[in-house]
Amino acid sequence: MIFLKSRQEIEIMRTANRIVSEIIVDLRERIHSGISTGEIDRIASELIKKKSARSAFKGYQIRPGVPPFPATICVSLNNEVVHGIPSLQRFINTGDIVSLDFGVIYKGFYGDAAVTFVLGEGGDQVQRLIQTTAAALEAGIAQAKVGNRLGDVSAAVQGRVEKDGFSVVREFVGHGVGRRLHEDPPVPNYGVRERGVRLREGMVLAIEPMVNIGAPEVKMLSDGWTAVTQDGSLSAHFEHSVAVTENGPEVLSRL
Ligand code: MG
């Protein structure tokens, strides 16, 4: 069931998403060669406390049999697609691709966003991967309009990615977001225009392309969380929470 949000609820979600984005920006500025992903997590949990919010991810249960997510933030490096678990033994080096995915709960509503960047200067292909993934997210956002269908969003993301010769991950998708982190509808990064649910005023969608340089397939590590590319190729991930309004798409997580 898709829950439509009132103007007032969207304003709370805007604040939740601003908290997410401000912390992501802050973390990004502090990341340097030699920092551990566990240290990033420690800083994230400190920052979130100052904002009167809670982590949306810590303790999150993805499915029975998998232990709840143990950290405040997901940090995924290089061939890791999403849901990397921070560790004090895992160090970031110059040239690594760093993806930060972060969510909070604020006044009963969720905010959710992600960015990817390369520490230092990446090669041309890595830069292109990151630029294409960001551009695919923007292409999807532009279609999040009243009267469009969900397939317009999905097809725009897929088209932008494949135009540049990269592939979109199928196993993980975006989602509605609101009083729960993952609400209906699922928002795939692939699809067909003019298909799927009709977009209505008050929907809030977390659009989040996950893009691989190589093949689209992923596999799970034994921790039950970390998804990596099956062929070992590099991967990028961007996410914004977007409200569908009469004035067009409003990106709640844009600063
Ligand atoms: Mg999400």
Side-chain angles (χ1 to χ4, degrees):
M1 174 173 178
I2 297 173
F3 297 103
L4 301 177
K5 281 81 183 177
S6 66
R7 257 286 124 195
Q8 212 171 12
E9 290 171 329
I10 287 174
E11 287 315 309
I12 297 171
M13 293 188 73
R14 195 190 302 280
T15 306
N17 279 288
R18 189 186 309 129
I19 292 169
V20 168
S21 299
E22 284 175 355
I23 291 178
I24 286 177
V25 167
D26 202 337
L27 291 171
R28 184 171 172 169
E29 284 169 0
R30 294 170 191 232
I31 291 175
H32 55 83
S33 182
I35 195 172
S36 71
T37 58
E39 175 66 5
I40 297 169
D41 185 63
R42 192 193 62 73
I43 298 168
S45 65
E46 225 166 62
L47 293 173
I48 201 174
K49 273 184 216 140
K50 293 187 192 151
K51 306 259 191 188
S52 327
R54 282 188 297 129
S55 169
F57 298 168
K58 191 156 198 166
Y60 190 82
Q61 197 86 47
I62 199 164
R63 58 182 169 273
V66 175
F69 193 77
T72 297
I73 186 167
C74 300
V75 186
S76 308
L77 305 182
N78 300 321
N79 64 320
E80 296 169 356
V81 179
V82 284
H83 304 160
I85 300 176
S87 159
L88 291 167
Q89 269 77 54
R90 185 89 191 275
F91 300 96
I92 298 180
N93 296 306
T94 301
D96 281 342
I97 302 178
V98 183
S99 157
L100 303 175
D101 186 357
F102 187 43
V104 305
I105 313 170
Y106 174 80
K107 293 189 177 173
F109 285 88
Y110 283 81
D112 194 7
V115 297
T116 298
F117 59 94
V118 61
L119 186 63
E121 280 180 35
D124 283 356
Q125 202 184 28
V126 167
Q127 293 292 357
R128 224 162 48 83
L129 170 73
I130 291 171
Q131 281 163 13
T132 298
T133 310
L137 172 57
E138 294 303 324
I141 290 168
Q143 295 299 318
K145 295 188 290 197
V146 173
N148 269 6
R149 290 184 184 269
L150 194 59
D152 295 313
V153 174
S154 301
V157 172
Q158 180 180 17
R160 185 64 190 79
V161 170
E162 294 180 352
K163 184 165 84 87
D164 285 355
F166 300 124
S167 61
V168 295
V169 169
R170 268 64 168 178
E171 279 97 331
F172 297 95
V173 297
H175 48 93
V177 58
R179 288 187 186 275
R180 302 184 70 165
L181 180 58
H182 296 122
E183 294 185 353
D184 283 338
V187 182
N189 296 302
Y190 56 94
V192 179
R193 285 176 51 203
E194 296 172 13
R195 300 269 177 85
V197 282
R198 183 80 68 186
L199 301 183
R200 294 176 57 192
E201 165 111 48
M203 286 184 181
V204 183
L205 306 174
I207 306 173
E208 49 177 320
M210 289 149 260
V211 176
N212 300 345
I213 284 183
E217 288 79 17
V218 304
K219 62 181 180 188
M220 300 300 298
L221 298 188
S222 58
D223 62 26
W225 280 100
T226 313
V228 300
T229 57
Q230 218 170 78
D231 61 9
S233 68
L234 299 170
S235 189
H237 175 213
F238 281 82
E239 177 176 23
H240 270 310
S241 293
V242 183
V244 178
T245 80
E246 286 297 345
N247 304 319
E250 280 185 31
V251 185
L252 304 179
S253 47
R254 181 123 55 210
L255 289 178

